[in-house]
Amino acid sequence: QVQVVESGGALVQAGGSLRLSCTVTSMVFDDYSMGWFRQAPGKERESVSCISYTGRTTRYSDSVKERFTISRDNVKNILYLDMNSLKPEDTGIYYCAIEEHPNRFGDDAWCRKGANFAFWGQGTQVTVSS
């Protein structure tokens, strides 16, 4: 059974940095594209970033471009999200998700659609204080 576990969430001051990690077990990690999503209190879940199964191609939402970096280690089976210049509006629960189909990676619209991702972690809380 696929297991997806996020970690690294914390309380941080505005302008600070965090690194989120997502460890995946029981699947061929480097066959699947992955994404990070987040959900703020009282808001719908939104896409943050996606990365292809090779790690060569990435996508970002406009709100995090130039501040966040997604990456993956296909040997250790870990997905990362490096977050810099954090803002209070980045507060939320951050989820790691795995694409439903192997060897598939799409455009920005594909990345934004949570339904394209079949496996999800339980989330890690990020709180940015002003």
Side-chain angles (χ1 to χ4, degrees):
Q1 184 175 356
V2 176
Q3 290 189 323
V4 182
V5 180
E6 302 95 336
S7 61
L11 170 64
V12 63
Q13 287 190 333
S17 299
L18 278 177
R19 166 174 263 202
L20 304 184
S21 299
C22 172
T23 302
V24 179
T25 58
S26 303
M27 69 175 295
V28 182
F29 185 78
D30 55 2
D31 277 353
Y32 290 84
S33 299
M34 299 188 69
W36 285 100
F37 292 75
R38 68 186 181 189
Q39 187 165 20
K43 294 188 176 181
E44 291 187 355
R45 184 182 63 196
E46 64 173 351
S47 171
V48 174
S49 181
C50 297
I51 188 167
S52 65
Y53 48 95
T54 62
R56 295 193 192 106
T57 309
T58 57
R59 307 214 183 279
Y60 296 93
S61 68
D62 289 342
S63 62
V64 306
K65 273 180 185 174
E66 309 300 330
R67 298 189 298 121
F68 289 11
T69 302
I70 190 171
S71 61
R72 63 191 295 163
D73 185 328
N74 282 353
V75 173
K76 296 181 179 178
N77 285 16
I78 302 176
L79 175 72
Y80 299 103
L81 185 68
D82 289 297
M83 305 185 294
N84 297 310
S85 303
L86 282 161
K87 304 175 181 179
E89 51 264 43
D90 293 318
T91 293
I93 300 175
Y94 283 68
Y95 298 93
C96 170
I98 304 171
E99 217 304 336
E100 182 178 8
H101 300 289
N103 307 120
R104 184 170 85 170
F105 185 72
D107 57 13
D108 286 341
W110 164 86
C111 179
R112 287 192 295 267
K113 191 175 179 182
N116 288 325
F117 296 81
F119 301 100
W120 295 77
Q122 82 292 345
T124 186
Q125 177 71 46
V126 172
T127 303
V128 184
S129 63
S130 56

